[in-house]
Amino acid sequence: MNDLADPIAGRASIGEIDIRTDSLNDLRWDRVMPILIEEQVFMCHQMRQTVMALRDRRKRGLSVLDLGTGSGIFGIYLDHELNRTRDGRPLPEEERSSILCLDVNPRAIHFVEDNAKQNASVQVATKCERYCDQSVPAASQDVVIINPPYHPVHGHWVEDVALHGAAGEDGLAVFRDWKDTIAVHLQAGGVLIGSVMSPTTPAGEVVAMEELADALGRDTSSVHFCRHLDDPDPPAGDFLRGVYAAYLDTEPDLAAWIEQMEQRISGFTVVYF
């Protein structure tokens, strides 16, 4: 089956799953992130084999947390894969995996619930709150999925950027808020799946992956990730000047901020893990 993602129309299809989002042209602050072929659709295909293999090893249904769920694409996709037979019938209740889609944005939860209904999801629950230690019990999740906001944002614009985009000066603020709590909620032998745009160091280290390895425990966990390698990572200064090109002439403090960022960060790279 052909996959489809149309960010302007605010819709996407992955196999038999149809998902609606806000349009990329919608400028509202609480806009629900449109789906991209190279990001969310790719992640769905990437995660399937890993998650299905984990279920086979554990010989039971899984507990899945779709964190910062947005439209619910990951949770709804895994519900379809985990909770239906090959001919499309729902599994018996005792064999089902539980899917929890969590987001701080009420509009996102509305989209998840509507998308779950339209796709006849079997076992998808929602929770609207800021992710914290009490969101789910400790060591309760077999699978956690994250695709957090990762756009570097100058402090002057923090309140003007869509909720799904703003992530502090280096793009890792939300990732850092989540990573240590994920380590508390993930079961031993569980799987964390995600994507983020990370700063890189002059030595070539991917900052987010180094911090994630520390959070999960370098002695007890393995972190595997891949990067876009078609083109070199854009230097931090070039990337930020491109992002803020329309404002450089009217906001004099931007140039100084970009120079400061260049001293701290070598570049940016998108990673999938």
Side-chain angles (χ1 to χ4, degrees):
M1 298 182 181
N2 293 326
D3 298 325
L4 166 71
D6 186 339
I8 303 301
R11 62 181 296 262
S13 298
I14 307 175
E16 298 177 359
I17 299 299
D18 293 311
I19 301 291
R20 303 293 298 189
T21 70
D22 283 318
S23 168
L24 190 63
N25 291 335
D26 192 330
L27 300 181
R28 61 185 301 150
W29 177 78
D30 59 350
R31 177 180 67 186
V32 173
M33 172 71 181
I35 293 167
L36 305 175
I37 283 282
E38 68 274 17
E39 193 162 321
Q40 292 84 8
V41 174
F42 171 77
M43 284 178 63
C44 285
H45 290 299
Q46 179 195 38
M47 73 176 68
R48 184 186 182 281
Q49 184 175 358
T50 298
V51 173
M52 301 302 281
L54 180 63
R55 185 183 67 173
D56 291 344
R57 290 198 303 273
R58 299 202 161 174
K59 297 180 171 59
R60 59 168 174 79
L62 303 176
S63 295
V64 178
L65 174 60
D66 180 5
L67 180 55
T69 185
S71 63
I73 181 172
F74 301 132
I76 292 169
Y77 173 79
L78 284 183
D79 177 81
H80 183 272
E81 297 299 311
L82 289 168
N83 289 330
R84 291 188 179 277
T85 62
R86 290 187 177 181
D87 60 1
R89 292 179 293 110
L91 288 177
E93 189 170 348
E94 64 275 10
E95 298 179 19
R96 295 175 187 172
S97 297
S98 62
I99 316 291
L100 176 61
C101 295
L102 186 150
D103 205 293
V104 71
N105 183 1
R107 184 169 177 81
I109 296 302
H110 170 77
F111 269 87
V112 176
E113 292 174 347
D114 186 60
N115 284 326
K117 181 179 179 180
Q118 294 302 316
N119 287 284
S121 296
V122 176
Q123 195 95 5
V124 173
T126 59
K127 181 179 280 192
C128 186
E129 66 177 36
R130 185 173 296 279
Y131 181 53
C132 64
D133 287 348
Q134 289 73 45
S135 293
V136 294
S140 64
Q141 301 303 301
D142 297 291
V143 179
V144 178
I145 308 163
I146 64 171
N147 185 206
Y150 55 64
H151 291 285
V153 179
H154 182 276
H156 182 76
W157 277 279
V158 167
E159 296 183 359
D160 298 323
V161 177
L163 185 61
H164 69 73
E169 287 195 340
D170 67 355
L172 291 182
V174 178
F175 173 83
R176 291 189 176 111
D177 281 346
W178 289 356
K179 62 183 176 61
D180 293 323
T181 307
I182 290 169
V184 172
H185 292 151
L186 198 62
Q187 290 187 14
V191 177
L192 171 63
I193 298 168
S195 174
V196 70
M197 185 171 71
S198 172
T200 57
T201 69
E205 292 182 338
V206 179
V207 174
M209 297 299 94
E210 294 297 316
E211 294 185 7
L212 183 61
D214 288 336
L216 296 178
R218 290 179 182 270
D219 295 334
T220 58
S221 303
S222 298
V223 176
H224 304 276
F225 64 93
C226 62
R227 302 166 61 177
H228 283 308
L229 295 178
D230 291 341
D231 299 301
D233 296 336
D238 292 350
F239 176 81
L240 293 172
R241 289 185 189 94
V243 170
Y244 290 102
Y247 305 97
L248 285 171
D249 291 337
T250 58
E251 299 288 343
D253 60 331
L254 266 179
W257 174 69
I258 291 173
E259 289 179 4
Q260 292 174 3
M261 293 294 289
E262 284 182 299
Q263 295 175 13
R264 296 167 43 197
I265 296 170
S266 174
F268 291 95
T269 188
V270 175
V271 292
Y272 300 91
F273 51 92

